[in-house]
Amino acid sequence: MTTFNLNGKSVTVNADGNTPLLWVLRDVLGLTGTKYGCGIEVCWACTVHINGQPDKSCNITLSEIAGRNITTIEGLSADSSHPLQKAWIREQVPQCGYCQSGMIMNAAGLMASSKQNTAQGTADAITGEMQNICVCGTYQRIKAAVLSAVVNG
C-alpha cells in the first residue's frame, strides 16, 4: 500500500511498488490524461508535477512517490480554466493532441518557476527548456499559446 496526494486529495494504492507512476495513474486510478509516449524519458508525453515540478511518470515508481504531491492534467484545473488550457484552445494548438497534456504540464511548471514574467523571458525559456516532442510539429502554436497564457492570463 502506497499513499500519496493526487490532485489535492490523499489516495492509497494497492499495487507493486515497482509499477511506474504512469501505469498507476492510467490503469489503477483511471486518469487517462497522462499519456504513454516512448517509455524512456525522451518525449515528455507522460509529464506530471511531482511536488510542484514537472517530471516524467513513465520511469518513476509508485514506491518513489510515497507521501509526495502529484498533479496530473486532470488536476491542473477542474474546468479547463487554467491560463494554459484556455490559451491552448484559443491558439488551436493540437493536431492529434496526443502529446498535449504533457506539453501543458511542462509549460505550467515552466510558468510557475519562471523568474521573468515577461513575454521575452518566457519565449527564451520555452525555446531552451521545453523538451517535449510533438510528432505533428505544432511547436509554433505551442509557443504562441504559452506566451499568450503569460501575457493574457
Side-chain angles (χ1 to χ4, degrees):
M1 300 289 263
T2 303
T3 301
F4 59 96
N5 292 311
L6 177 63
N7 298 330
K9 297 179 182 174
S10 180
V11 296
T12 301
V13 174
N14 186 11
D16 186 303
N18 291 320
T19 305
L21 175 59
L22 171 65
W23 301 119
V24 171
L25 294 171
R26 291 182 61 81
D27 296 344
V28 177
L29 299 172
L31 297 175
T32 58
T34 305
K35 305 296 184 199
Y36 174 80
C38 66
I40 57 171
E41 299 185 76
V42 174
C43 72
W44 287 77
C46 66
T47 304
V48 298
H49 290 184
I50 301 175
N51 288 345
Q53 298 297 312
D55 206 343
K56 294 155 268 182
S57 64
C58 66
N59 284 325
I60 189 164
T61 65
L62 179 60
S63 61
E64 292 175 290
I65 57 116
R68 296 170 91 181
N69 296 309
I70 309 300
T71 305
T72 66
I73 189 74
E74 293 92 347
L76 197 57
S77 73
D79 58 358
S80 298
S81 63
H82 187 280
L84 280 166
Q85 292 169 314
K86 292 190 305 189
W88 241 248
I89 294 165
R90 189 170 48 247
E91 298 294 331
Q92 299 179 354
V93 173
Q95 277 182 224
C96 79
Y98 194 82
C99 67
Q100 299 307 301
S101 62
M103 288 280 189
I104 290 171
M105 293 304 290
N106 200 20
L110 177 67
M111 284 179 64
S113 68
S114 178
K115 291 179 178 64
Q116 297 175 325
N117 196 17
T118 66
Q120 184 57 48
T122 302
D124 293 342
I126 295 166
T127 302
E129 296 181 33
M130 293 275 299
Q131 302 297 313
N132 302 62
I133 294 173
C134 173
V135 177
C136 298
T138 64
Y139 296 110
Q140 293 306 319
R141 287 185 281 183
I142 291 164
K143 190 173 187 177
V146 176
L147 290 174
S148 175
V150 168
V151 173
N152 300 317

